[in-house]
Structures are given as structure tokens and as C-alpha cells.
Amino acid sequence: MSKTVICPGSFDPVTLGHLDIIKRAAKMFDHVIVAVLVNSAKSPCFSTEERMRFLEEVTGDIENVEISSFDGLLAEYCKQRGADAIVKGLRAVSDFEYEFQMAITNKKINPELETIFLMANADSMYLSSSMVREVAAMGGDITNFVPDCIRDEIVERMLTLRK
């Protein structure tokens, strides 16, 4: 029986922490859909298409990973895609309360849906997209935070937005 999971997020931009969770999920499940949230209430630094391109670039060598985007309720998107579960990474206890509330809400909307939490590895417990954007905007080195193949594009965008 094939198991499909969705790893949702804004991925603005994708970090090494995100990539770690995606790779670990890909080892545990048959099909991993990495779904970029399109949220009209937010103003991301990178367009949906750019975020998807970054994800495609950094996961291109992982056979069972698909990159997509969605707008609306995650639980409904999971129904549409036939997903068995949602995989979320947790960095710290502070992440758990919000993610726990979301898991309960998603379960109410889609009773068949499970949420699986993966703990961030020690190297990325502090890592967030907003921290990466801030460091890059200030001219700091983000080499240890994002995949090499997208680093220069992130730095260029953040320095341009700062001007």
C-alpha cells in the first residue's frame, strides 16, 4: 500500500532545515508532496514560482518528491491529493503549541488525515526562513543555512530589497 504525505510550508526561502525534513520524510514514505502555501495575506520575498523552483532544484535528486503549491485549507488540499498524512518539522517546544492546534483543526476538517511531527536536527533547531532573510539582508553569510545552489540568488534578492 502506497503512502503519500504532504510537507507544507511557505519556504520563503527553503532552508537546510526544511531540506532535512523533506529528505527524512522521503525515506519514510512512498510519495512526498512538498506544497508551497500561497497566502494572499502575506507578502513573501520570493514568488510562489521562485519558491517552487528553489525546491525543485534542491530536491531534484530525490525520486519520490513532488513540488506543488496550494491555496486554501491544507486539510482540503490533502483530500484532493489523496494524502494520508501531513509531515511537519518542529524546531522547539514553542513550535509545538501552534502545530498541535493546526493538527487538531486539520483532523476535524479531514478525519482521515494524520499529522506527523519530525524533530529538527540539532544543526537546524534555530533555523527559520525569516532569520535567513534577515542575515542575508544585512550582508551576512548564509552558507550554513541554505543549500549552496540557491544561496547567491537569495543573497542578491535580500540585498536588493534592503536598498
Side-chain angles (χ1 to χ4, degrees):
M1 173 185 253
S2 180
K3 292 289 181 185
T4 297
V5 295
I6 293 184
C7 287
S10 59
F11 305 104
D12 189 36
V14 61
T15 69
L16 292 175
H18 292 133
L19 188 55
D20 174 60
I21 297 296
I22 294 165
K23 285 180 176 181
R24 288 164 51 201
K27 288 179 182 176
M28 297 181 343
F29 299 98
D30 302 304
H31 185 208
V32 177
I33 301 169
V34 180
V36 176
L37 172 63
V38 178
N39 185 343
S40 58
K42 289 189 175 184
S43 299
C45 292
F46 297 92
S47 70
T48 302
E49 294 75 21
E50 288 171 317
R51 291 178 280 155
M52 290 177 67
R53 181 173 48 80
F54 285 164
L55 283 160
E56 286 167 358
E57 194 166 338
V58 303
T59 63
D61 62 335
I62 310 170
E63 258 184 48
N64 60 333
V65 170
E66 171 191 347
I67 308 303
S68 70
S69 65
F70 75 101
D71 187 7
L73 295 173
L74 176 58
E76 291 296 332
Y77 182 68
C78 289
K79 274 185 197 174
Q80 292 169 12
R81 296 303 310 267
D84 301 290
I86 297 166
V87 171
K88 297 289 291 188
L90 295 179
R91 294 173 297 202
V93 174
S94 57
D95 285 347
F96 180 75
E97 186 174 356
Y98 173 78
E99 295 297 347
F100 183 71
Q101 290 173 357
M102 291 302 300
I104 291 171
T105 303
N106 287 328
K107 187 82 167 162
K108 290 283 187 189
I109 295 168
N110 181 350
E112 301 299 311
L113 189 62
E114 298 295 339
T115 299
I116 299 164
F117 298 116
L118 296 179
M119 296 304 303
N121 68 35
D123 293 340
S124 59
M125 290 203 77
Y126 62 90
L127 193 52
S128 69
S129 293
S130 57
M131 188 271 306
V132 167
R133 290 192 309 267
E134 187 172 333
V135 171
M138 298 295 182
D141 183 7
I142 60 170
T143 300
N144 294 317
F145 308 146
V146 299
D148 290 339
C149 59
I150 62 172
R151 181 187 62 238
D152 292 345
E153 193 170 345
I154 294 168
V155 169
E156 184 178 321
R157 172 68 53 84
M158 297 318 301
L159 291 174
T160 301
L161 290 175
R162 185 169 182 227
K163 292 179 183 178

